[in-house]
Amino acid sequence: MGIEEKLPSGFLLTTVEQAAGWVRKSSLFPATFGLACCAIEMMTTGAGRYDLARFGMEVFRGSPRQADLMIVAGRVSQKMAPVVRQVYDQMANPKWVISMGVCASSGGMFNNYAIVQGVDHIIPVDIYLPGCPPRPEMLMDAILKLHEQIRHEKLGVNKRRAEEEAEEQALQAVPTIDMKGLLR
């Protein structure tokens, strides 16, 4: 015996944050940034067998102005880093980033001067996807995890408050060097 039984049919009860989160998660437009072998797996994910159209992502956008999700697939060279940043800056807000593959996440086996040791040195990353190369199922799982992050994202004053609380918790955290137990 709740309030929903007292309302006439056709009414929907929700908050603006929940409605905006649902709309945002259901309409992600990915901008591809395929730089190496991980790009093949990313393209496979968009094909018929794995069918990203179930999540409203069937068209990979060619223009960053039409996209709100960047999937960086593969190693990023020092020459390509400014281009990655420029594409990210041209994307409309709100925007999210998935770092696909070990090379994009940490430089992979390429520990030299020519490869950026993680795309997070250039742009902020929301989801890290390990693997060399990661399977299409793993990319779909990362996208679903990003959907959950987007769905629960706060808006306006609540977002600023959540960011301030996270910053305060990070400042109060014990540095790794001072931790005891399994790390030592």
Side-chain angles (χ1 to χ4, degrees):
M1 197 76 178
I3 191 169
E4 42 297 314
E5 293 177 6
K6 300 289 185 197
L7 294 172
S9 71
F11 275 86
L12 176 70
L13 299 176
T14 187
T15 64
V16 173
E17 282 182 348
Q18 288 177 338
W22 179 79
V23 169
R24 284 180 175 173
K25 87 157 184 83
S26 300
S27 63
L28 282 179
F29 292 141
T32 59
F33 218 87
L35 300 169
C37 45
C38 291
I40 304 297
E41 299 295 324
M42 180 178 58
M43 289 182 258
T44 303
T45 308
R49 182 171 185 167
Y50 298 99
D51 194 21
L52 279 178
R54 292 179 284 173
F55 309 113
M57 300 175 62
E58 62 269 11
V59 180
F60 285 92
R61 303 296 169 177
S63 168
R65 288 176 177 83
Q66 297 174 348
D68 52 7
L69 168 64
M70 177 186 275
I71 302 173
V72 181
R75 60 189 177 271
V76 180
S77 67
Q78 294 288 351
K79 284 186 176 182
M80 190 56 76
V83 178
V84 173
R85 183 63 201 204
Q86 182 179 11
V87 170
Y88 177 80
D89 289 340
Q90 289 175 352
M91 290 170 59
N93 283 328
K95 51 192 166 189
W96 299 277
V97 176
I98 293 178
S99 176
M100 182 177 177
V102 71
C103 292
S105 299
S106 65
M109 66 187 104
F110 304 101
N111 189 9
N112 61 34
Y113 65 92
I115 303 297
V116 176
Q117 299 301 304
V119 75
D120 56 354
H121 290 283
I122 307 164
I123 56 177
V125 175
D126 296 295
I127 299 281
Y128 292 94
L129 179 57
C132 183
R135 298 272 310 139
E137 296 91 350
M138 295 171 69
L139 178 57
M140 290 178 71
D141 182 58
I143 289 169
L144 291 175
K145 287 179 180 169
L146 182 64
H147 279 184
E148 285 305 306
Q149 277 186 9
I150 294 169
R151 201 166 62 92
H152 297 297
E153 199 171 79
K154 303 287 185 193
L155 297 175
V157 189
N158 295 336
K159 184 175 183 175
R160 279 194 293 274
R161 189 176 308 127
E163 288 171 351
E164 289 170 1
E165 288 173 5
E167 181 72 23
E168 187 64 33
Q169 287 177 355
L171 290 173
Q172 293 176 357
V174 178
T176 308
I177 193 74
D178 295 336
M179 291 183 178
K180 304 289 185 218
L182 295 177
L183 295 174
R184 295 269 169 175

